[in-house]
Amino acid sequence: MLIRSPGVFGRDPELRESAKALDNALAGHGGAVFLVGESGIGKSRLARELATRAAARGARVLRGSGSAIGPVVPFRPLAEALFSLTRDAEPIDVGDLGPYLPALGVLVPDWRSGPAADLAPPLLVVAEAVLRLLTVVGRAGGCVLVLDDLHDTDAETLFLLEYLVSNVGSARVLLVGTIRDGASAAHDIARSAARQGVCALRTLRRLGRADVHEMVAACLGTDREHVPPATAAHLWQLSSGIPFLVEELLHELVQDGVLADGPGGWHLADRPAGTVPAALITSIAARLGKLGPAGADLLAAAAVLGTRFPAPVVQRTIGADDRTVAVFLDSAVEARLVKPDPAAAGWYVFEHPLTAEAVLTQLGPTRRAELARVAADAAELLHPGLPGDWCTR
């Protein structure tokens, strides 16, 4: 049984702002909304909710997504979104595009014709052609173009994206883009557009305890009162308020019988401290892969020390120099795996309490024991006499 949320929770300000942008677009004042946040925070879910509302009001919804899988494909998100215009039951009349129609052939083969079909038109011409096409699509009931995962898209798409955001104001078109937080060209474009006042930029935060309580109840198909506060609080702590993890944890816990429905509501049979959703392990493995073997070794050494760790002990454990450790820690921070601990200089904390467990699950018992032994030796060497909590650690 897959457990998925039937709605969006804790996003009222974002929904209000997006709804206002949709109202403006349908009234002929086009615009753009960018949703930014960490993996699993609910960017795509919020974009889908907005698209559903737009479709209910008669707007045409086009969807495309960037991808980190396989080779880079120029224009992938836009081409994917526009393909639906040629296979839908109600095709668009593109006759009004005139000389701009051939330029769209680089995106949609159905519109490729004439002696210049094999010649690549200038990007600026393609961008203007897409803008005019969206204007045509939006004439009847409006158009919403949803582009997911723009952090994983190609340079050509980003060129067209920047052009569309700057010039869509006179069309009945709303562009909705989702971007993972962190450094990316897409994020730079969104921030620049927001400074110019031509788009709305919202960074999604983690859900609070009350929002997670509502979400858990909805996922389980019951009312809030049937989920005891202690159960909801524990799930909030385990998930760190990340909606995707709330769903994954519920799936794992219900499937394993750890979370069960009873006369007094949904209760945890015990404290599943080591419960790590498979989806989180996969996500962590993918991000570790981007750090390379040396970066993965560093985080493995950090994980044996717990959810909070000191950089000097990790450095001693893996035998790396200052610069190497600094580079890998900066990369791990950018990948949202760890963050500096504001309470103590030189200390870091894993972004999510289950991240350390997810890292450790990828180590064999022999490797894990060896790392723990070396880390213990490093701690004793750097902290003679093991003062404070070092003996316990």
Side-chain angles (χ1 to χ4, degrees), residues 178-368:
T178 70
I179 308 170
R180 189 173 300 162
D181 60 357
S184 71
H187 201 176
D188 291 341
I189 290 172
R191 283 192 293 240
S192 176
R195 285 194 295 268
Q196 297 171 38
V198 294
C199 81
L201 176 62
R202 295 294 304 211
T203 299
L204 304 188
R205 307 299 179 187
R206 296 182 179 185
L207 299 182
R209 188 193 303 255
D211 294 323
V212 169
H213 197 162
E214 294 285 352
M215 182 178 178
V216 168
C219 286
L220 295 174
T222 187
D223 53 49
R224 180 189 174 103
E225 289 69 28
H226 201 62
V227 179
T231 299
H234 191 60
L235 288 166
W236 171 69
Q237 187 176 34
L238 277 178
S239 67
S240 290
I242 300 174
F244 175 72
L245 283 182
V246 172
E247 293 176 337
E248 292 296 317
L249 281 164
L250 284 172
H251 171 71
E252 299 277 343
L253 296 174
V254 172
Q255 186 178 50
D256 294 343
V258 177
L259 180 64
D261 193 10
W266 287 85
H267 288 279
L268 290 163
D270 52 36
R271 292 183 59 83
T275 300
V276 185
L280 177 60
I281 295 175
T282 302
S283 173
I284 296 299
R287 282 183 273 173
L288 284 176
K290 294 181 180 180
L291 298 182
D297 285 345
L298 181 145
L299 285 189
V304 300
L305 292 169
T307 58
R308 180 173 175 269
F309 62 90
V313 173
V314 171
Q315 177 177 351
R316 187 81 184 188
T317 300
I318 63 174
D321 57 55
D322 292 347
R323 184 178 182 281
T324 298
V325 170
V327 168
F328 282 125
L329 282 174
D330 286 346
S331 298
V333 170
E334 186 175 334
R336 296 300 296 265
L337 292 166
V338 302
K339 60 184 177 182
D341 187 344
W347 283 71
Y348 288 77
V349 61
F350 281 95
E351 275 272 4
H352 186 277
L354 293 180
T355 299
E357 287 289 338
V359 171
L360 291 176
T361 59
Q362 300 176 65
L363 302 177
T366 302
R367 175 60 175 157
R368 183 169 177 170

Side-chain angles (χ1 to χ4, degrees), residues 75 121-128 155-156 159-160:
F75 305 112
L123 275 178
L124 190 61
V125 175
V126 178
E128 177 63 19
E156 291 85 354
F159 181 93
L160 267 63

